[in-house]
Amino acid sequence: LQVFDDVGKDVTPRPLFRSDPNNVVPRQGKLLASSAYFGARGSGFLSSFSMHQTSGVNASLGSFSRSRLLTSYNFSDVQVRQQEIKEELTKADLDRRVDIYLTETETIWILDMPSVVVSVESEDAGRVLERNRIYVDICKNRPGNDRFVEKMMQTVNGAAKNKEVQCDKIIMEDKGMMVTSWDLYDSFNVSEIEPTSKAEGSRATTGKCSKSHTTKELDQTMSVSSDRGSTTSIMISESAILARNHKEEECHSEAILTSENFQQDLFFMERILMENIFQPKLAAYRQFPVLIDPDVTSDTSGTVAAVKAKQEEHNKEKKDKEEQKDAFIDPSTLSVLNKTPEEIVPPRLERLWSYVCDLTNGHSVSSMAWSKVNPDLLAVGYGAFDFKEQKKGLACCWSLKNPMWPERIFQCEHAVTALDFSMASPNLLAVGMYNGCVAIYNVRSCNDAALLDSSESSNKHTGPVWQLRWVEQDRDATEDGKKERLICISADGRITEWLIQKRLDCTDLMKIKRTESEKKKLPGEKERKSEALISQQAPGMCFDFHPKDTNFYLAGTEEGHIHQCSCSCNEQFLETYRGHKGPVYKVAWNPFSTDMFLSCSADWSIILWHRDSQTPILSFSSTTACVHDIMWSPKSAFIFAAANESRVEIWDLSVSTLNPVISCFASPRVKFTSVLFAENTDCLLVGDSQGEVSVFELQNLAAPNSNTV
Amino acid sequence: AEVEETLKRIQAHKGVIATIVINAEGIPIRTTLDNSTTVQYAGLLHQLTMKARSTVRDIDPQNDLTFLRIRSKKHEIMVAPDKEYLLIVIQNPCE
């Protein structure tokens, strides 16, 4: 037999002995024993075993003798089987069917204890009984018989000797572990290669150790000392930790501080802090009953003072209101949260909080818009209206969860004058700027850069974009689904629709031509000679699409006219409404009774129109200040809000058409510039020229009983 | 950068008494308190966080602790635990 390894070297194990043919003496008895050993291995391998493999398998002398005997026995066989031995075992041999013959060997007696019990029916029974009887007789004769003598002997006692042995001290250690189910889970999941690593843990289920977190520190080698569950050892282990290399720590701490998890945790922490601070206000926003912490003892004076301050603020407003239908409420009976039903409490605005931060201080709020998808996300554009005060603009997205720092800050080159969220892709925010540029930002990314910018477009506006909106347009019946378009109006007199492709490009919807006013001719405008006009177009200030039929829209101009136009016809206006004497800053259709709309202008008045009549229906003016912004309430057909320069007014047409129902004054240097109603709650957002967006809760407004005028 | 800003804003909030960041071994990396108090807070909150995490995971090993808030009479302690660090903010929510 020859064995080759992979390389081809001959690694046949050499036999440890040479069989001596002189010693061939077949001894049958012992042979059988050895054959019993090898019998099960198969006859084909017997010879090979005898020659080579036994040297590897059995290294003892005993087996040597056995193998020798086997050799001697098989010597004759060896001759016969010589061919078989010489056959090389190939791989195919492994698959070959090998016949194994099992023979039963002779019984091997290992222990033989013959029984002492003899059957009565056996042949020897008589003899045994006889012997038993004789024995009993002898026992009876024993006591007085001479033949039995008791005698004592002394044996030699050897001298006792002490021998001492010394061995190493066996160090005993106690180790206890607390086993928790997550521990097992972790280990099975993480180290599936070593499933026995937790065997030691499962043994100690008595829970001797009190610090379960040591199992987590298995990778640190200090776990042994900290297993003793006493507080002193905890201190020791901690000092041991502190004594480790400090160099490692520095790298680690940097890594920790810049890790993503850390940033996220900071983010959440800030939110939670905000929640703590603003919880009562936010609850009021959501119209939950506000809870007062009963445990707060040291600060009750503080809260009471706050309550008093609010009362004073309200009182000041009330004193300034000259026109008042309801009784003047004594300030001492005003309690902020509990209103007794007997008093008639006038509706008022309660200031909840304001979105302001260092960045926005000093910028004037120009426009605000809610996100279409998330009613708690607010986008605010900052930029001055006047030409003189131009600085860099800002657009911020604020979340309800953090009123002290905006979620997204987009810096813009020019003042932001208008913005709107898209409905179809709610992460897009379109921003219109003072230089006529329109930019689209992706709110999802924190990136400051605009997604798309219209500065390269050839058709871009040359005047400030005063308003822009995403409008869902119902196309013809052939095209299903609503398409959304971005429409802007700007001071260069064009209403444009922007297409979002690779670059922002626009097409004109309408050019606003100057129209003659019937009453008087404005000096400086040479209208008689139409060619000598500086520009044929009147700057547009605002627009609003009809809520039901998006083909029609209104456009307000700087001349004071309001034009009703249609998307299908871009040459001519359908109607013109004249009534304002100054630039129209805002027009708004009534969301409920859709034939009425409202417009506000710099001529200190707000006018309510009906779409079919050319003359105003109602006109509201309360102060000598230009009205910057108006908005209908989304809840009632009669209520709208207006931002004058110095105050915010809420008008309720069902209550009074002469006076605002609520009027809220601003601090002296601050002018209110924009208003926005909240969709999901009774709150009003007011932006002012200092960059603050204050959130006011409308309280006690009469509920609308009908929604049509 | 962003992290520094946010951390500064948190520290500057009204009512925030202290902000502590400790690493996995219990050593403070960033703190706005004096050293002895910081170390005390670090040690105690570390143990408490471990216990809380052990509790949560014992009930369901696939769950994990994300945030821990302890409201007391005087302050509120908020802990954001992680494998490598512990972020602790102590706030007095009422003033």
Side-chain angles (χ1 to χ4, degrees), chain A residues 493-521:
Chain A
R494 286 156 56 209
I495 301 178
T496 52
E497 172 189 352
W498 292 82
L499 308 158
I500 303 173
Q501 288 147 2
K502 285 227 171 121
R503 298 170 45 193
L504 215 47
D505 210 0
C506 68
T507 57
D508 279 358
L509 260 187
M510 169 71 73
K511 288 189 173 53
I512 306 175
K513 302 194 196 73
R514 286 194 191 275
T515 54
E516 294 182 6
S517 63
E518 290 172 359
K519 306 268 169 65
K520 58 177 182 171
K521 297 194 179 75

mmCIF file of all heavy atoms in Angstrom, chain A residues 493-521:
data_model
loop_
_atom_site.group_PDB
_atom_site.id
_atom_site.type_symbol
_atom_site.label_atom_id
_atom_site.label_comp_id
_atom_site.label_asym_id
_atom_site.label_seq_id
_atom_site.Cartn_x
_atom_site.Cartn_y
_atom_site.Cartn_z
ATOM 1 N N GLY A 493 -45.415 94.013 -14.753
ATOM 2 C CA GLY A 493 -46.709 93.976 -15.417
ATOM 3 C C GLY A 493 -47.030 92.667 -16.094
ATOM 4 O O GLY A 493 -47.957 92.591 -16.878
ATOM 5 N N ARG A 494 -46.296 91.647 -15.816
ATOM 6 C CA ARG A 494 -46.602 90.390 -16.472
ATOM 7 C C ARG A 494 -47.049 89.371 -15.449
ATOM 8 O O ARG A 494 -46.530 89.320 -14.337
ATOM 9 C CB ARG A 494 -45.359 89.841 -17.174
ATOM 10 C CG ARG A 494 -45.019 90.593 -18.427
ATOM 11 C CD ARG A 494 -43.556 90.458 -18.767
ATOM 12 N NE ARG A 494 -43.144 89.080 -18.884
ATOM 13 C CZ ARG A 494 -41.924 88.659 -18.621
ATOM 14 N NH1 ARG A 494 -41.010 89.501 -18.209
ATOM 15 N NH2 ARG A 494 -41.613 87.399 -18.743
ATOM 16 N N ILE A 495 -48.007 88.577 -15.902
ATOM 17 C CA ILE A 495 -48.355 87.408 -15.092
ATOM 18 C C ILE A 495 -47.804 86.215 -15.856
ATOM 19 O O ILE A 495 -48.151 86.009 -17.013
ATOM 20 C CB ILE A 495 -49.873 87.276 -14.942
ATOM 21 C CG1 ILE A 495 -50.407 88.531 -14.296
ATOM 22 C CG2 ILE A 495 -50.209 86.061 -14.107
ATOM 23 C CD1 ILE A 495 -51.895 88.523 -14.144
ATOM 24 N N THR A 496 -46.952 85.503 -15.201
ATOM 25 C CA THR A 496 -46.262 84.456 -15.947
ATOM 26 C C THR A 496 -46.515 83.102 -15.325
ATOM 27 O O THR A 496 -46.773 82.970 -14.137
ATOM 28 C CB THR A 496 -44.752 84.682 -15.922
ATOM 29 O OG1 THR A 496 -44.375 84.834 -14.561
ATOM 30 C CG2 THR A 496 -44.375 85.911 -16.689
ATOM 31 N N GLU A 497 -46.436 82.126 -16.180
ATOM 32 C CA GLU A 497 -46.543 80.755 -15.715
ATOM 33 C C GLU A 497 -45.187 80.113 -15.938
ATOM 34 O O GLU A 497 -44.622 80.211 -17.022
ATOM 35 C CB GLU A 497 -47.607 80.030 -16.523
ATOM 36 C CG GLU A 497 -47.645 78.558 -16.236
ATOM 37 C CD GLU A 497 -48.552 77.841 -17.187
ATOM 38 O OE1 GLU A 497 -49.256 78.524 -17.950
ATOM 39 O OE2 GLU A 497 -48.538 76.611 -17.179
ATOM 40 N N TRP A 498 -44.669 79.486 -14.922
ATOM 41 C CA TRP A 498 -43.337 78.922 -15.008
ATOM 42 C C TRP A 498 -43.398 77.426 -15.214
ATOM 43 O O TRP A 498 -44.209 76.727 -14.627
ATOM 44 C CB TRP A 498 -42.573 79.200 -13.709
ATOM 45 C CG TRP A 498 -42.280 80.642 -13.543
ATOM 46 C CD1 TRP A 498 -43.115 81.582 -13.062
ATOM 47 C CD2 TRP A 498 -41.083 81.314 -13.881
ATOM 48 N NE1 TRP A 498 -42.518 82.815 -13.060
ATOM 49 C CE2 TRP A 498 -41.260 82.673 -13.555
ATOM 50 C CE3 TRP A 498 -39.857 80.904 -14.416
ATOM 51 C CZ2 TRP A 498 -40.257 83.618 -13.755
ATOM 52 C CZ3 TRP A 498 -38.863 81.860 -14.598
ATOM 53 C CH2 TRP A 498 -39.083 83.208 -14.271
ATOM 54 N N LEU A 499 -42.520 76.979 -16.053
ATOM 55 C CA LEU A 499 -42.443 75.549 -16.315
ATOM 56 C C LEU A 499 -41.184 75.030 -15.670
ATOM 57 O O LEU A 499 -40.121 75.637 -15.797
ATOM 58 C CB LEU A 499 -42.372 75.302 -17.819
ATOM 59 C CG LEU A 499 -43.470 75.991 -18.596
ATOM 60 C CD1 LEU A 499 -43.058 76.163 -20.035
ATOM 61 C CD2 LEU A 499 -44.730 75.173 -18.497
ATOM 62 N N ILE A 500 -41.327 73.922 -15.021
ATOM 63 C CA ILE A 500 -40.156 73.373 -14.350
ATOM 64 C C ILE A 500 -39.614 72.244 -15.182
ATOM 65 O O ILE A 500 -40.132 71.145 -15.186
ATOM 66 C CB ILE A 500 -40.542 72.859 -12.966
ATOM 67 C CG1 ILE A 500 -41.149 74.003 -12.195
ATOM 68 C CG2 ILE A 500 -39.332 72.325 -12.261
ATOM 69 C CD1 ILE A 500 -41.708 73.587 -10.924
ATOM 70 N N GLN A 501 -38.574 72.577 -15.890
ATOM 71 C CA GLN A 501 -37.876 71.499 -16.595
ATOM 72 C C GLN A 501 -36.465 71.559 -16.076
ATOM 73 O O GLN A 501 -36.262 71.836 -14.914
ATOM 74 C CB GLN A 501 -37.944 71.745 -18.097
ATOM 75 C CG GLN A 501 -39.326 71.509 -18.631
ATOM 76 C CD GLN A 501 -39.618 72.434 -19.759
ATOM 77 O OE1 GLN A 501 -38.755 73.216 -20.156
ATOM 78 N NE2 GLN A 501 -40.795 72.356 -20.300
ATOM 79 N N LYS A 502 -35.520 71.343 -16.916
ATOM 80 C CA LYS A 502 -34.160 71.423 -16.403
ATOM 81 C C LYS A 502 -33.870 72.826 -15.892
ATOM 82 O O LYS A 502 -33.228 73.028 -14.887
ATOM 83 C CB LYS A 502 -33.168 71.090 -17.507
ATOM 84 C CG LYS A 502 -33.132 69.631 -17.813
ATOM 85 C CD LYS A 502 -31.724 69.118 -17.895
ATOM 86 C CE LYS A 502 -31.736 67.620 -17.973
ATOM 87 N NZ LYS A 502 -31.087 67.131 -19.172
ATOM 88 N N ARG A 503 -34.312 73.795 -16.629
ATOM 89 C CA ARG A 503 -34.143 75.161 -16.157
ATOM 90 C C ARG A 503 -35.515 75.778 -16.013
ATOM 91 O O ARG A 503 -36.459 75.341 -16.620
ATOM 92 C CB ARG A 503 -33.324 75.954 -17.169
ATOM 93 C CG ARG A 503 -31.932 75.426 -17.363
ATOM 94 C CD ARG A 503 -31.308 76.105 -18.525
ATOM 95 N NE ARG A 503 -31.587 77.536 -18.445
ATOM 96 C CZ ARG A 503 -31.379 78.368 -19.442
ATOM 97 N NH1 ARG A 503 -30.893 77.921 -20.574
ATOM 98 N NH2 ARG A 503 -31.659 79.636 -19.333
ATOM 99 N N LEU A 504 -35.561 76.754 -15.247
ATOM 100 C CA LEU A 504 -36.833 77.380 -14.997
ATOM 101 C C LEU A 504 -37.134 78.326 -16.147
ATOM 102 O O LEU A 504 -36.355 79.200 -16.465
ATOM 103 C CB LEU A 504 -36.718 78.166 -13.700
ATOM 104 C CG LEU A 504 -37.917 78.239 -12.792
ATOM 105 C CD1 LEU A 504 -38.526 76.889 -12.604
ATOM 106 C CD2 LEU A 504 -37.479 78.770 -11.480
ATOM 107 N N ASP A 505 -38.236 78.142 -16.738
ATOM 108 C CA ASP A 505 -38.574 79.027 -17.847
ATOM 109 C C ASP A 505 -40.044 79.378 -17.763
ATOM 110 O O ASP A 505 -40.844 78.630 -17.219
ATOM 111 C CB ASP A 505 -38.267 78.338 -19.174
ATOM 112 C CG ASP A 505 -37.904 79.356 -20.223
ATOM 113 O OD1 ASP A 505 -37.910 80.557 -19.893
ATOM 114 O OD2 ASP A 505 -37.623 78.954 -21.358
ATOM 115 N N CYS A 506 -40.368 80.484 -18.339
ATOM 116 C CA CYS A 506 -41.744 80.894 -18.132
ATOM 117 C C CYS A 506 -42.391 81.342 -19.417
ATOM 118 O O CYS A 506 -41.734 81.686 -20.391
ATOM 119 C CB CYS A 506 -41.805 82.035 -17.118
ATOM 120 S SG CYS A 506 -41.093 83.544 -17.753
ATOM 121 N N THR A 507 -43.669 81.319 -19.348
ATOM 122 C CA THR A 507 -44.434 81.873 -20.472
ATOM 123 C C THR A 507 -45.406 82.867 -19.899
ATOM 124 O O THR A 507 -45.841 82.749 -18.757
ATOM 125 C CB THR A 507 -45.226 80.782 -21.196
ATOM 126 O OG1 THR A 507 -46.075 80.158 -20.227
ATOM 127 C CG2 THR A 507 -44.328 79.771 -21.817
ATOM 128 N N ASP A 508 -45.739 83.803 -20.678
ATOM 129 C CA ASP A 508 -46.618 84.845 -20.175
ATOM 130 C C ASP A 508 -48.055 84.402 -20.205
ATOM 131 O O ASP A 508 -48.536 83.893 -21.198
ATOM 132 C CB ASP A 508 -46.486 86.098 -21.040
ATOM 133 C CG ASP A 508 -45.275 86.896 -20.638
ATOM 134 O OD1 ASP A 508 -44.602 86.483 -19.676
ATOM 135 O OD2 ASP A 508 -45.008 87.894 -21.295
ATOM 136 N N LEU A 509 -48.719 84.660 -19.137
ATOM 137 C CA LEU A 509 -50.150 84.416 -19.124
ATOM 138 C C LEU A 509 -50.892 85.670 -19.544
ATOM 139 O O LEU A 509 -51.926 85.631 -20.158
ATOM 140 C CB LEU A 509 -50.593 84.053 -17.704
ATOM 141 C CG LEU A 509 -50.804 82.600 -17.396
ATOM 142 C CD1 LEU A 509 -51.391 82.473 -16.033
ATOM 143 C CD2 LEU A 509 -51.735 81.966 -18.396
ATOM 144 N N MET A 510 -50.340 86.740 -19.119
ATOM 145 C CA MET A 510 -51.102 87.970 -19.335
ATOM 146 C C MET A 510 -50.170 89.153 -19.140
ATOM 147 O O MET A 510 -49.297 89.122 -18.300
ATOM 148 C CB MET A 510 -52.216 88.015 -18.277
ATOM 149 C CG MET A 510 -52.933 89.305 -18.181
ATOM 150 S SD MET A 510 -53.978 89.621 -19.589
ATOM 151 C CE MET A 510 -55.279 88.477 -19.264
ATOM 152 N N LYS A 511 -50.408 90.127 -19.930
ATOM 153 C CA LYS A 511 -49.684 91.364 -19.683
ATOM 154 C C LYS A 511 -50.703 92.386 -19.240
ATOM 155 O O LYS A 511 -51.735 92.550 -19.872
ATOM 156 C CB LYS A 511 -49.016 91.836 -20.971
ATOM 157 C CG LYS A 511 -47.839 90.988 -21.393
ATOM 158 C CD LYS A 511 -47.135 91.674 -22.536
ATOM 159 C CE LYS A 511 -45.850 90.986 -22.905
ATOM 160 N NZ LYS A 511 -45.943 89.578 -23.169
ATOM 161 N N ILE A 512 -50.391 93.029 -18.212
ATOM 162 C CA ILE A 512 -51.375 93.988 -17.703
ATOM 163 C C ILE A 512 -51.121 95.329 -18.369
ATOM 164 O O ILE A 512 -50.088 95.948 -18.176
ATOM 165 C CB ILE A 512 -51.244 94.146 -16.190
ATOM 166 C CG1 ILE A 512 -51.330 92.778 -15.526
ATOM 167 C CG2 ILE A 512 -52.338 95.041 -15.677
ATOM 168 C CD1 ILE A 512 -51.087 92.852 -14.067
ATOM 169 N N LYS A 513 -52.072 95.729 -19.109
ATOM 170 C CA LYS A 513 -51.882 97.014 -19.777
ATOM 171 C C LYS A 513 -52.460 98.098 -18.908
ATOM 172 O O LYS A 513 -53.374 97.899 -18.140
ATOM 173 C CB LYS A 513 -52.609 97.009 -21.108
ATOM 174 C CG LYS A 513 -52.151 95.919 -22.026
ATOM 175 C CD LYS A 513 -52.675 96.196 -23.415
ATOM 176 C CE LYS A 513 -52.559 94.941 -24.261
ATOM 177 N NZ LYS A 513 -53.497 93.913 -23.927
ATOM 178 N N ARG A 514 -51.910 99.207 -19.122
ATOM 179 C CA ARG A 514 -52.462 100.325 -18.377
ATOM 180 C C ARG A 514 -53.836 100.655 -18.936
ATOM 181 O O ARG A 514 -54.040 100.668 -20.134
ATOM 182 C CB ARG A 514 -51.566 101.554 -18.554
ATOM 183 C CG ARG A 514 -50.295 101.446 -17.790
ATOM 184 C CD ARG A 514 -49.637 102.801 -17.738
ATOM 185 N NE ARG A 514 -48.297 102.700 -17.234
ATOM 186 C CZ ARG A 514 -47.999 102.695 -15.946
ATOM 187 N NH1 ARG A 514 -48.950 102.807 -15.070
ATOM 188 N NH2 ARG A 514 -46.758 102.599 -15.562
ATOM 189 N N THR A 515 -54.712 100.898 -18.029
ATOM 190 C CA THR A 515 -56.042 101.291 -18.498
ATOM 191 C C THR A 515 -56.322 102.690 -18.002
ATOM 192 O O THR A 515 -55.789 103.120 -16.974
ATOM 193 C CB THR A 515 -57.118 100.369 -17.932
ATOM 194 O OG1 THR A 515 -56.989 100.344 -16.530
ATOM 195 C CG2 THR A 515 -56.948 98.986 -18.482
ATOM 196 N N GLU A 516 -57.135 103.319 -18.691
ATOM 197 C CA GLU A 516 -57.425 104.675 -18.263
ATOM 198 C C GLU A 516 -58.387 104.626 -17.117
ATOM 199 O O GLU A 516 -59.322 103.853 -17.099
ATOM 200 C CB GLU A 516 -58.070 105.439 -19.407
ATOM 201 C CG GLU A 516 -57.127 105.623 -20.552
ATOM 202 C CD GLU A 516 -57.823 106.445 -21.623
ATOM 203 O OE1 GLU A 516 -58.942 106.914 -21.375
ATOM 204 O OE2 GLU A 516 -57.235 106.571 -22.687
ATOM 205 N N SER A 517 -58.145 105.473 -16.198
ATOM 206 C CA SER A 517 -59.136 105.574 -15.130
ATOM 207 C C SER A 517 -60.191 106.560 -15.575
ATOM 208 O O SER A 517 -59.902 107.556 -16.222
ATOM 209 C CB SER A 517 -58.468 106.030 -13.846
ATOM 210 O OG SER A 517 -57.925 107.311 -14.018
ATOM 211 N N GLU A 518 -61.385 106.255 -15.226
ATOM 212 C CA GLU A 518 -62.453 107.084 -15.774
ATOM 213 C C GLU A 518 -62.506 108.433 -15.106
ATOM 214 O O GLU A 518 -62.932 109.400 -15.695
ATOM 215 C CB GLU A 518 -63.792 106.385 -15.564
ATOM 216 C CG GLU A 518 -63.922 105.170 -16.425
ATOM 217 C CD GLU A 518 -65.149 104.385 -16.060
ATOM 218 O OE1 GLU A 518 -65.858 104.807 -15.117
ATOM 219 O OE2 GLU A 518 -65.403 103.365 -16.684
ATOM 220 N N LYS A 519 -62.079 108.486 -13.871
ATOM 221 C CA LYS A 519 -62.305 109.716 -13.145
ATOM 222 C C LYS A 519 -61.276 110.775 -13.484
ATOM 223 O O LYS A 519 -61.592 111.874 -13.866
ATOM 224 C CB LYS A 519 -62.277 109.466 -11.627
ATOM 225 C CG LYS A 519 -63.210 108.386 -11.181
ATOM 226 C CD LYS A 519 -64.550 108.979 -10.806
ATOM 227 C CE LYS A 519 -65.578 107.881 -10.613
ATOM 228 N NZ LYS A 519 -65.264 107.006 -9.480
ATOM 229 N N LYS A 520 -60.069 110.439 -13.281
ATOM 230 C CA LYS A 520 -59.079 111.485 -13.516
ATOM 231 C C LYS A 520 -57.861 110.888 -14.185
ATOM 232 O O LYS A 520 -57.613 109.697 -14.132
ATOM 233 C CB LYS A 520 -58.698 112.151 -12.201
ATOM 234 C CG LYS A 520 -58.155 111.183 -11.179
ATOM 235 C CD LYS A 520 -57.739 111.925 -9.937
ATOM 236 C CE LYS A 520 -57.168 110.926 -8.959
ATOM 237 N NZ LYS A 520 -56.559 111.531 -7.823
ATOM 238 N N LYS A 521 -57.135 111.768 -14.749
ATOM 239 C CA LYS A 521 -55.903 111.294 -15.353
ATOM 240 C C LYS A 521 -54.777 111.576 -14.388
ATOM 241 O O LYS A 521 -54.635 112.665 -13.881
ATOM 242 C CB LYS A 521 -55.653 112.054 -16.655
ATOM 243 C CG LYS A 521 -56.720 111.815 -17.681
ATOM 244 C CD LYS A 521 -56.253 112.289 -19.033
ATOM 245 C CE LYS A 521 -57.328 112.015 -20.058
ATOM 246 N NZ LYS A 521 -58.463 112.910 -20.013
#
